[in-house]
Amino acid sequence: MSYGHGMGLRGAAHIAGVYEHPGRHLPDLTVAQIHAQVAAGALADAGLSFSDVDAYYCAGDAPGFGGLSMADYLGISCRGIDSTESGGSSYLIHVQHAAQAIAAGHCNVALITLAGKPRTGGAGPGGSISQSAPESGFENLFGLNVVAGYALAAQRHIYEFGTTSAQLAEIKVAASQHASHNPHAFLPDAVTIEEVLESPMIARPLHRLDSCVITDGGGALVVVSPEIAATLSRHTIPVLGTGAAVKHSTAGRIDLSHTGASISGPAAFAEARVHPADIDYASIYDSFTITVLITLEDLGFCAKGEGGRFVADGGLLAPFGRLPFNTDGGGLCNNHPANRGGMTKVIEAVRQRRGEAAEAVQVPDCELALAHGTGGSLATRMGSATLVLGREL
Amino acid sequence: MSQLPTPNPPVTADSLPFWEGATDDRLVLPRCNGCAEVIWYPRHFCPRCGSADVSWFEASGQGSIYSFTVVERGQGRWAEHSPYVLAYVELAEGPRVLTNIIDTDPDSLSIGDVVHASFDHSEDGRGVLRFTVR
C-alpha cells in the first residue's frame, strides 16, 4: 500500500462508477427522483447495487435533513455519512473524504450524488448569501449577484495583468467547440470570439456568453476500495491526489487575483507525486470564463497573470491544445445542475481517463486527468477542491 | 444621497457599534486590542488572531477603488436601477469593503480612483456605507 499514517491518500480509493443525467429540462421529476436516478446510473456503471453501498455523501442540493433524508429514500445502510457543503466544490471534497474513510476502513463503497432543478424548479441561481449569515449586512445591500461578484475579479485581473475580454472569450469558444460533439449539451452550437463579445453585457466585463448555463440535471460517483475495485469488470480510476481549501476574506484584505486553487492544487499534485505539466486533461469549474482563467494560473498550469496568453489561440482545445479542458462543453455549454459544476467535472475527467469521451475530443493516451471544483464567491469566501485521477499504480 | 435600494440593514448585537455610527454618518470600525488589525466586516472577533477583545474607532472614510463592475442587468429590485456600480473600496485603514460608487458617471471610473464615504439612509434611519468620487 502506498498510503498509511501521514502518507496521504495516493491510491487509497478508486472511482468505479459515474453517471451524468442526460436531462437538462426535467419539469416532471422531483429533486429526490433525480438523485435516485443518478445514483442508480452510477452504481450500474460500476457493476454494483444499492445493497453494496455503505457510505453516502451529498451536499446542500440534497432535499431534506442533511444526508439523512436521501439515505433513507434510497434505502442505504450507511456506516458513514457526510454532507459537507462547499458549493460547487463539495463533490470533489466528498471524493477526498470517501478516500479517507476507505483508507481508514470505515467503508468500502461510497455513493456521492448531486441533483437540482434551477431551470424548472423555481430556485434562482445559487451563491446568494443567506440572511442569517454574519456577513449578510455588509454584502447583501449593494446589488451583489453571482455574475457581478465574478465580474469584480475579472475587472481586477484585467487591471493587474492586461487580460482582455477576447482572451476570456477564447475559453467559451473552446468549450462550445467541445459541446458541439456532445448530443446532450444544452448549448450545442460552436460560437466565435466575436459572438461572445457581442452578447449582452451582464456585469462589465462579463457578457452573457461568459456565463454558465442554468439547467436541471444531476450526477453521481461511486468511490470504492482497491480491494472492491479489483473484483469489478469496469475500468476503475485510482484517486492519486486530493486537495481542499477554504479561502476567506482575511479580515477584509480581499485578494481577487488568487483563489483557493492556489492551495488545493499544490496539495493534490504533491499527494499524487506529479506536476502540472504531467496532466493530460483538465476539468476546470467554469461558472464564468474568468473562473477558468484564474484557476489555471492558481493550479500552476501557467504563471500568475499569464492565463490570458495560456488560453489564447485555442490553448484549451481538445485533443491537441496546450491543455485540453472540459471536453463535455462544461458549465459554459453542457449543463450546470443545481448551479454546481463540481460533479460533472469529475465525471468528464473519468470519461477521459477511461477513453470514453466523445471521439473528436478524446485526448489520446490520457493517463493523468485533473478535476477542479469551485464553490462560493470567487476569491472572497470560497471552497476549492482538486483531484488528480491517474494511471494504474 | 443616491436613489439605490436602501433596505433596513440586519443590525445585530455583533455589529451594533458600526450601525450606531452609520446612523450619524460616521464610519466606525473595530480594531483588535490583541494584534491591532482593523477588522472587516465589523464584529466582536478578530479573525487574524482569534481575540474577542476589540475597540471601536471612527475611521477616515477615505479610500480608493480596488475593483468595480458596472452591473448592466441587476436582479430583483436592482433591475430597475441598472446600470449601477458595485465595487470593492480599499479603506485608508486597510480593509477592502463591498459597496456602491454613487453620484458618478460609471464610464469615468478607474481602479485606483480616490473615493469618500457617503451614507444613504434606510427607512429606519440606519446608514448604508457607499462612496462617491467627490
Short mmCIF file of all heavy atoms in Angstrom, two decimals, chain A residues 193-202 206-210:
data_model
loop_
_atom_site.label_atom_id
_atom_site.label_comp_id
_atom_site.label_asym_id
_atom_site.label_seq_id
_atom_site.Cartn_x
_atom_site.Cartn_y
_atom_site.Cartn_z
N ILE A 193 -15.33 34.20 -31.02
CA ILE A 193 -14.96 35.25 -30.08
C ILE A 193 -15.87 36.46 -30.26
O ILE A 193 -16.36 37.03 -29.29
CB ILE A 193 -13.47 35.65 -30.30
CG1 ILE A 193 -12.56 34.51 -29.86
CG2 ILE A 193 -13.14 36.93 -29.52
CD1 ILE A 193 -11.08 34.75 -30.17
N GLU A 194 -16.13 36.81 -31.52
CA GLU A 194 -16.98 37.98 -31.78
C GLU A 194 -18.38 37.78 -31.20
O GLU A 194 -18.96 38.71 -30.64
CB GLU A 194 -17.07 38.24 -33.29
CG GLU A 194 -15.76 38.73 -33.91
CD GLU A 194 -14.66 37.65 -33.95
OE1 GLU A 194 -15.00 36.45 -34.04
OE2 GLU A 194 -13.48 38.01 -33.85
N GLU A 195 -18.92 36.58 -31.32
CA GLU A 195 -20.26 36.34 -30.78
C GLU A 195 -20.29 36.48 -29.27
O GLU A 195 -21.27 36.94 -28.69
CB GLU A 195 -20.76 34.96 -31.22
CG GLU A 195 -21.19 34.92 -32.69
CD GLU A 195 -21.48 33.51 -33.19
OE1 GLU A 195 -20.67 32.59 -32.93
OE2 GLU A 195 -22.51 33.34 -33.83
N VAL A 196 -19.21 36.06 -28.61
CA VAL A 196 -19.16 36.23 -27.15
C VAL A 196 -19.13 37.72 -26.82
O VAL A 196 -19.89 38.20 -25.95
CB VAL A 196 -17.91 35.54 -26.56
CG1 VAL A 196 -17.80 35.80 -25.06
CG2 VAL A 196 -17.93 34.04 -26.85
N LEU A 197 -18.29 38.46 -27.52
CA LEU A 197 -18.11 39.88 -27.19
C LEU A 197 -19.34 40.70 -27.56
O LEU A 197 -19.57 41.78 -26.98
CB LEU A 197 -16.87 40.44 -27.92
CG LEU A 197 -15.54 39.77 -27.56
CD1 LEU A 197 -14.39 40.43 -28.31
CD2 LEU A 197 -15.29 39.83 -26.05
N GLU A 198 -20.15 40.20 -28.51
CA GLU A 198 -21.34 40.94 -28.90
C GLU A 198 -22.58 40.50 -28.13
O GLU A 198 -23.65 41.09 -28.29
CB GLU A 198 -21.58 40.76 -30.41
CG GLU A 198 -20.56 41.54 -31.24
CD GLU A 198 -20.53 41.10 -32.70
OE1 GLU A 198 -21.43 40.35 -33.12
OE2 GLU A 198 -19.57 41.51 -33.40
N SER A 199 -22.45 39.48 -27.28
CA SER A 199 -23.60 39.07 -26.48
C SER A 199 -23.83 40.11 -25.38
O SER A 199 -22.93 40.88 -25.04
CB SER A 199 -23.37 37.67 -25.90
OG SER A 199 -22.33 37.67 -24.95
N PRO A 200 -25.06 40.17 -24.84
CA PRO A 200 -25.39 41.25 -23.90
C PRO A 200 -24.43 41.30 -22.70
O PRO A 200 -24.05 40.28 -22.13
CB PRO A 200 -26.80 40.89 -23.45
CG PRO A 200 -27.36 40.07 -24.56
CD PRO A 200 -26.19 39.30 -25.11
N MET A 201 -24.04 42.52 -22.35
CA MET A 201 -23.22 42.72 -21.16
C MET A 201 -24.10 42.53 -19.92
O MET A 201 -25.18 43.13 -19.82
CB MET A 201 -22.62 44.12 -21.18
CG MET A 201 -21.60 44.39 -20.10
SD MET A 201 -20.08 43.43 -20.30
CE MET A 201 -19.21 44.43 -21.52
N ILE A 202 -23.64 41.71 -18.98
CA ILE A 202 -24.42 41.49 -17.76
C ILE A 202 -23.83 42.34 -16.64
O ILE A 202 -24.53 43.10 -15.98
CB ILE A 202 -24.42 40.00 -17.36
CG1 ILE A 202 -24.88 39.14 -18.55
CG2 ILE A 202 -25.31 39.78 -16.14
CD1 ILE A 202 -26.30 39.40 -19.03
N LEU A 206 -18.14 41.03 -17.95
CA LEU A 206 -18.68 39.70 -18.28
C LEU A 206 -19.98 39.81 -19.08
O LEU A 206 -20.94 40.47 -18.64
CB LEU A 206 -18.90 38.88 -17.01
CG LEU A 206 -17.63 38.56 -16.21
CD1 LEU A 206 -17.97 37.71 -14.99
CD2 LEU A 206 -16.58 37.85 -17.08
N HIS A 207 -19.99 39.12 -20.23
CA HIS A 207 -21.15 39.06 -21.10
C HIS A 207 -21.99 37.82 -20.76
O HIS A 207 -21.54 36.95 -20.01
CB HIS A 207 -20.71 38.95 -22.57
CG HIS A 207 -19.74 39.99 -23.02
ND1 HIS A 207 -18.39 39.93 -22.71
CD2 HIS A 207 -19.91 41.13 -23.74
CE1 HIS A 207 -17.78 40.98 -23.24
NE2 HIS A 207 -18.68 41.73 -23.86
N ARG A 208 -23.14 37.77 -21.40
CA ARG A 208 -23.97 36.57 -21.21
C ARG A 208 -23.19 35.31 -21.58
O ARG A 208 -23.26 34.31 -20.87
CB ARG A 208 -25.24 36.68 -22.05
CG ARG A 208 -26.10 35.41 -21.99
CD ARG A 208 -27.45 35.61 -22.64
NE ARG A 208 -28.26 36.53 -21.83
CZ ARG A 208 -29.27 37.25 -22.30
NH1 ARG A 208 -29.60 37.16 -23.57
NH2 ARG A 208 -29.94 38.05 -21.50
N LEU A 209 -22.43 35.37 -22.68
CA LEU A 209 -21.73 34.15 -23.12
C LEU A 209 -20.43 33.91 -22.35
O LEU A 209 -19.73 32.94 -22.60
CB LEU A 209 -21.49 34.18 -24.63
CG LEU A 209 -22.75 34.10 -25.50
CD1 LEU A 209 -22.39 33.99 -26.98
CD2 LEU A 209 -23.66 32.94 -25.09
N ASP A 210 -20.08 34.78 -21.40
CA ASP A 210 -19.02 34.46 -20.44
C ASP A 210 -19.57 33.65 -19.27
O ASP A 210 -18.82 33.27 -18.37
CB ASP A 210 -18.42 35.75 -19.85
CG ASP A 210 -17.50 36.48 -20.83
OD1 ASP A 210 -16.48 35.89 -21.20
OD2 ASP A 210 -17.83 37.63 -21.19
#
